[in-house]
Each structure stands twice: as C-alpha cells, then as structure tokens.
Amino acid sequence: MARQKAPVKSAKTTLRIIESLRELDGAGVTEIANRLERPTSTIHDHLLTLENEEYLISDDDGTYRVGARFLELGEQVRKRMKIYTIARPEIESLAEETGEHSNLMIEEHGRGVFLFRARGSDAVQLDTHAGKRVHLHTTALGKAIMAYRPQKEVESILQNHGIPKITEETITSKNKLYEELSEIRDSGVAFDNEERVNGMRCVAVPITDANDRAIAAMSVSGPKSRMIGEKFREKIPNRVLKSANVIEVNMAYT
C-alpha cells in the first residue's frame, strides 16, 4: 500500500511565520502568534530556531525580520533556470530601447512569479521585483501564459486561486477571461489595461516550447499616458514578439 502524504505541522508553521514576517515587514512574537492563532511559546521557539540558523534577524526591540540568507537561496534557484539565463539579455535590451519596465514571468503553483525585471531610463517606480507572486489573470504576462496552456490547466488555476478584483479594470468574469485568452491565442499578444496597477498598461507575449506551450512570458509596461495608440497596439507588441522569438530559438538550440 502506498504511503499517504501528510503535511508536517511544524514545517507548515515555520513557513507561515516566514510568510507573515515578509508580509508585515517584520513583527514580534505576540503579533505573529495572534496572526497565526498559535501559542506564543511555540512561535518563539520557531523564531529562535530560524534566527540561530541565520534565516531571520532580530532588532533590539524584539522585532524579527526575514534575513538576507534567502537572497542566496533565491538567486541560486534563478541562476539554474535556463529561461532566466537566455532571456535576461533580451529583457535588458527591451528596457533600454523602450525606456520602460521589461519583465520576465513564469508560472509556479498557479501563480505568476516575476523572475527578472529591467528598468529603462524613463521607468516609473513599481512594486514588482524578482520573486513577487501575482494572480495570473491580473497581468498581460499571466494572461499570455494561460492562453498557451491547456484549458483544464487554466480551469484548475482559476478554481484554486479564483479571479479576485485588484483594480476597477481587473477581469473578474470567467467568460470574459476565456474570450480574451482566445484572442491572445489568435494574435500572440496580451494586453493589460490597468488590471493590476492603476495607471499602468502592459504588452506581453508568451515564450513557448516545441509543443506551443507557454514556459514563460515577457512584457513591456509603462504609464498609460505613454502606452497609447500605435505604440501600445503595434510598435511595442512587434518588438516584444521579436525578442520572444529570439529567446525561443536560443532555448531550443542551446
């Protein structure tokens, strides 16, 4: 009989503590205990263990914060990804040429994960950074990925994560989302019109493998005041498509 897999409660508690510290940008024992509804003694033991193993740091006032050791782990993960190594030069070139943000996203556990971001000379400040996870339906990048995934996989993603409203422009209707995914498959280009960040627009295209399945997506994003007309609908899409094609060829033959 196959052994059933069961979650290890102590490991789950440790992970929830780390996630909470990240979301709160630091917290004390009592705040974390109340947030997770666990005894303060249990939380304290976990925090001390994580600090002793150099994954957390603590301030003089008893505030614990996520430590820089996670940077080492994250960078090691990213560097071993072929898509990151091959796509990075194209992402940087796009940012330099357009003056805007250029992004690389992958899908992991049904969420969009920003793998790399380059800033052009005119790029505005955004909350995106390597490792940031977002709902796929809220970004042009995520929609480009879903458009080139099997429908059953997309349905599973939406069932597990929902289609929450982030801004007034976020698509929250499954039917409307499926219609847009169909349009993306026809054109090869996805658009985001203030659907995750107010005032920002984005153009994205999928990066696909030999089976035409999206393994990632890349984009250019900028303020809606600059992402308009032919630039938004033709010039930037054509430029991003060319970069995606270069990446796909290099992925296949490198």
Side-chain angles (χ1 to χ4, degrees):
M1 180 182 294
R3 181 180 178 183
Q4 290 185 342
K5 296 181 179 180
V8 179
K9 289 185 178 180
S10 61
K12 288 186 68 175
T13 299
T14 297
L15 293 172
R16 297 295 88 78
I17 289 172
I18 294 170
E19 290 173 354
S20 295
L21 290 174
R22 179 188 62 80
E23 293 169 0
L24 296 170
D25 194 23
V29 176
T30 302
E31 186 175 3
I32 295 297
N34 291 338
R35 183 183 177 94
L36 300 182
E37 298 181 341
R38 299 297 303 276
T40 54
S41 58
T42 299
I43 298 301
H44 186 255
D45 289 344
H46 280 275
L47 290 169
L48 283 181
T49 300
L50 287 164
E51 184 181 20
N52 289 336
E53 293 299 320
E54 302 179 356
Y55 285 99
L56 299 182
I57 58 174
S58 61
D59 299 338
D60 293 338
D61 63 358
T63 298
Y64 287 86
R65 303 183 189 279
V66 175
R69 189 170 184 184
F70 285 100
L71 284 174
E72 180 182 6
L73 298 176
E75 188 60 21
Q76 182 179 6
V77 170
R78 190 168 69 165
K79 283 184 175 179
R80 68 175 173 78
M81 291 184 177
K82 185 178 179 181
I83 183 64
Y84 166 73
T85 303
I86 290 176
R88 179 170 179 167
E90 290 295 324
I91 299 295
E92 291 175 331
S93 178
L94 269 177
E96 181 179 359
E97 183 177 328
T98 63
E100 306 289 1
H101 285 280
S102 183
N103 311 282
L104 177 68
M105 177 182 282
I106 61 171
E107 176 272 327
E108 196 170 84
H109 299 294
R111 293 288 187 93
V113 182
F114 284 91
L115 196 60
F116 181 66
R117 185 196 72 172
R119 290 189 61 189
S121 57
D122 298 324
V124 297
Q125 293 290 338
L126 286 177
D127 64 341
T128 51
H129 54 80
K132 183 176 180 62
R133 301 193 304 164
V134 298
H135 286 86
L136 289 168
H137 74 286
T138 65
T139 67
L141 289 155
K143 289 186 288 184
I145 291 174
M146 287 195 291
Y148 284 77
R149 292 289 179 87
Q151 185 170 343
K152 287 186 177 180
E153 186 175 340
V154 174
E155 290 174 353
S156 177
I157 289 172
L158 298 181
Q159 181 177 352
N160 291 332
H161 298 286
I163 47 176
K165 182 178 182 179
I166 307 301
T167 73
E168 289 300 320
E169 302 299 328
T170 306
I171 296 175
T172 57
S173 163
K174 283 188 178 181
N175 289 337
K176 185 176 179 180
L177 179 60
Y178 286 139
E179 288 176 5
E180 187 161 337
L181 296 183
S182 178
E183 293 173 1
I184 294 169
R185 284 192 293 273
D186 291 338
S187 66
V189 179
F191 296 94
D192 164 6
N193 186 19
E194 301 184 82
E195 292 163 46
R196 192 184 75 83
V197 179
N198 289 320
M200 294 294 292
R201 286 176 173 170
C202 183
V203 177
V205 302
I207 299 171
T208 59
D209 60 17
N211 297 316
D212 205 31
R213 182 181 190 273
I215 56 174
M218 63 187 300
S219 73
V220 169
S221 58
K224 66 177 182 179
S225 59
R226 295 200 293 257
M227 301 285 277
I228 57 176
E230 182 182 356
K231 177 181 179 181
F232 182 51
R233 290 294 173 179
E234 293 184 28
K235 185 176 180 181
I236 290 181
N238 288 337
R239 181 62 183 84
V240 182
L241 281 166
K242 289 179 182 178
S243 288
N245 179 240
V246 170
I247 294 169
E248 288 170 351
V249 171
N250 286 333
M251 286 289 292
Y253 295 103
T254 299

